[in-house]
């Protein structure tokens, strides 16, 4: 397994990306300022955790599509997309004193569409001390509700006061260690049984879809194949339920998952 991981720090302008970058590497390499639009070109630094080289990349703040036409902003956008393609993991940073904006949603979609693993960082918790519990629920609920294919537990930090450096580096290390893992058929199908026992697919047009066999076929990106009968009748609601259950039963966090449903009576037959 490669002994390095590329981690890019992505988010809106001024949410504290460069502050986090500097704290994680223990040096003030990247310029920080209260004005937004400070970082333009990507800044890279390699940090070691155990035997893993972590290539951290600090990026400029991204604006909404409709506001990203200026030259500087275009440069930031193209550099971000370039770095994103090489990334194994993204730190998606948001400002905890803010609500989730349209810009956050567009950005997050971009990351998920590239099938990247992601850690959600909610920064500036020192500004929301009194409101922390409500904010924790707010962000947790937002990611739970809107993104069925990934389990995300936002991590709350104050880059200025309590960065949780060891915790974050260990998190990166753990995600790297798990990234090439393939779950065996026995484990996966035991989970399948549990999920179906709890809640069976509903009837549609007089037929009940039946998922008979599940196989984990790829790790990066994470792909499962579900074999069975009448799977074209599975509705979106059930598919969302199914993938969430699969992720929580297998304890997979921060990784986006794709399930391909295949109508096939014999899972061992190549199609
Ligand atoms: N209160 C508070 N302020 C913070 C925290 N982290 C960063 N800041 C401040 O927020 C401002 C922006 O920080 P940066 O690290 O430059 O933000 P950035 O996301 O890199 O900004 P751009 O490069 O412009 O996109 C600075 O004034 C920081 O001091 C935090 O945890 N709490
Ligand atoms: Mg910056």
């Amino acid at each position: 397994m490669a002994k390095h991981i590329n981690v890019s720090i992505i988010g809106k302008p001024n949410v504290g990306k460069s502050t986090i970058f500097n704290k994680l590497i223990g040096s003030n390499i990247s310029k920080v300022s209260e004005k937004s639009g400070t970082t333009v070109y990507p800044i890279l630094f390699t940090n070691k955790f155990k035997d893993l080289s972590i290539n951290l990349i600090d990026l400029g703040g991204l604006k909404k599509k409709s506001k990203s036409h200026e030259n500087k902003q275009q440069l930031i956008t193209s550099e971000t997309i370039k770095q994103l393609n090489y990334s194994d993991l993204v730190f998606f940073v948001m400002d905890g004193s803010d609500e989730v904006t349209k810009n956050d949603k567009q950005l997050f979609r971009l990351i998920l569409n590239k099938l990247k693993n992601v850690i959600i960082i909610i920064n500036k918790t020192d500004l929301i001390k009194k409101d922390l519990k409500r904010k924790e629920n707010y962000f947790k609920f937002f990611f739970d509700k809107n993104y069925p294919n990934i389990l995300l537990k936002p991590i709350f930090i104050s880059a200025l006061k309590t960065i949780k450096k060891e915790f974050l580096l260990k998190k990166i290390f753990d995600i790297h260690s798990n990234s090439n893992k393939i779950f065996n058929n026995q484990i996966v199908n035991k989970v399948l049984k549990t999920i179906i026992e709890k809640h069976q697919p509903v009837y549609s047009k007089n037929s009940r879809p039946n998922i008979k066999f599940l196989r984990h076929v790829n790790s990066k990106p994470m792909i499962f194949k579900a074999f069975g009968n009448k799977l074209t009748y599975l509705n979106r609601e059930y598919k969302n339920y199914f993938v969430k259950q699969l992720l929580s039963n297998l304890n997979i966090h921060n990784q986006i998952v794709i399930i391909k449903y295949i109508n096939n009576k014999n899972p061992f037959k190549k199609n």
Side-chain angles (χ1 to χ4, degrees):
M1 210 199 307
K3 275 296 172 196
H4 65 86
I5 180 168
N6 298 334
V7 184
S8 15
I9 305 178
I10 294 181
K12 282 187 305 199
N14 217 39
V15 292
K17 299 179 294 301
S18 301
T19 310
I20 293 170
F21 175 85
N22 286 342
K23 289 283 171 85
L24 286 181
I25 65 174
S27 176
N28 290 334
I29 288 179
S30 190
K31 195 176 165 209
V32 166
S33 108
E34 68 279 4
K35 270 200 256 156
S36 78
T38 305
T39 314
V40 180
Y41 291 98
I43 298 172
L44 191 143
F45 193 90
T46 302
N47 211 352
K48 274 263 178 189
F49 187 84
K50 296 183 184 168
D51 57 346
L52 177 68
S53 296
I54 300 174
N55 303 322
L56 266 186
I57 303 134
D58 182 25
L59 291 157
L62 286 173
K63 290 191 181 168
K64 263 206 303 239
K65 275 192 202 133
S66 56
K67 287 191 180 161
S68 60
H69 49 271
E70 315 136 46
N71 282 349
K72 186 170 90 177
Q73 213 48 53
Q74 273 178 1
L75 186 61
I76 290 175
T77 305
S78 66
E79 288 293 343
T80 300
I81 289 174
K82 204 156 60 181
Q83 293 301 331
L84 185 58
N85 287 331
Y86 291 118
S87 299
D88 304 295
L89 174 66
V90 173
F91 270 23
F92 184 63
V93 184
M94 295 167 84
D95 182 337
S97 67
D98 209 351
E99 307 289 305
V100 182
T101 62
K102 197 170 169 195
N103 191 0
D104 288 314
K105 289 182 199 165
Q106 273 181 3
L107 261 175
F108 195 64
R109 209 10 94 197
L110 180 77
I111 296 163
L112 289 189
N113 286 347
K114 299 250 178 200
L115 304 177
K116 297 298 176 183
N117 295 341
V118 49
I119 289 178
I120 310 285
I121 306 274
I122 312 293
N123 190 33
K124 307 198 185 182
T125 51
D126 55 292
L127 300 178
I128 50 164
K129 271 188 197 138
K130 284 189 190 127
D131 210 16
L132 195 58
K133 248 300 43 84
R134 187 186 69 84
K135 281 285 183 161
E136 276 176 357
N137 289 333
Y138 168 78
F139 283 105
K140 193 176 171 301
F141 181 75
F142 173 80
F143 285 104
D144 243 19
K145 182 174 139 255
N146 293 297
Y147 307 99
N149 296 27
I150 186 165
L151 289 186
L152 295 157
K153 271 192 209 143
I155 298 172
F156 286 75
I157 65 165
S158 159
L160 281 188
K161 306 250 160 77
T162 48
I163 178 76
K164 301 184 186 167
K165 178 174 170 179
E166 288 303 305
F167 176 80
L168 291 174
L169 294 179
K170 186 171 180 303
K171 196 99 196 152
I172 296 172
F173 183 85
D174 290 344
I175 287 175
H176 177 263
S177 308
N178 284 327
S179 65
N180 283 337
K181 185 167 170 182
I182 294 277
F183 290 94
N184 72 38
N185 287 339
Q186 204 189 344
I187 292 176
V188 170
N189 285 283
K190 211 174 139 194
V191 169
L192 170 67
K193 210 172 148 223
T194 318
I195 300 173
I196 289 176
E197 271 170 9
K198 209 164 163 188
H199 186 14
Q200 274 193 45
V202 289
Y203 273 92
S204 149
K205 299 188 182 139
N206 290 330
S207 39
R208 190 193 281 282
N210 185 8
I211 306 169
K212 290 182 161 174
F213 190 81
L214 193 60
R215 175 178 279 173
H216 185 191
V217 294
N218 199 55
S219 57
K220 261 174 107 178
M222 191 174 266
I223 302 173
F224 287 81
K225 282 186 178 170
F227 301 89
N229 303 330
K230 302 181 177 122
L231 299 184
T232 40
Y233 295 111
L234 283 172
N235 62 24
R236 178 190 284 271
E237 208 183 1
Y238 193 80
K239 285 180 178 172
N240 288 352
Y241 157 79
F242 189 82
V243 67
K244 276 266 190 239
Q245 284 288 315
L246 182 66
L247 292 174
S248 58
N249 276 285
L250 293 173
N251 207 12
I252 302 166
H253 290 86
N254 309 96
Q255 298 197 57
I256 185 144
V257 160
I258 298 161
I259 300 182
K260 295 185 174 165
Y261 293 93
I262 296 162
N263 280 313
N264 185 353
K265 286 192 176 114
N266 180 0
F268 299 101
K269 206 168 81 184
K270 284 237 175 340
N271 48 333

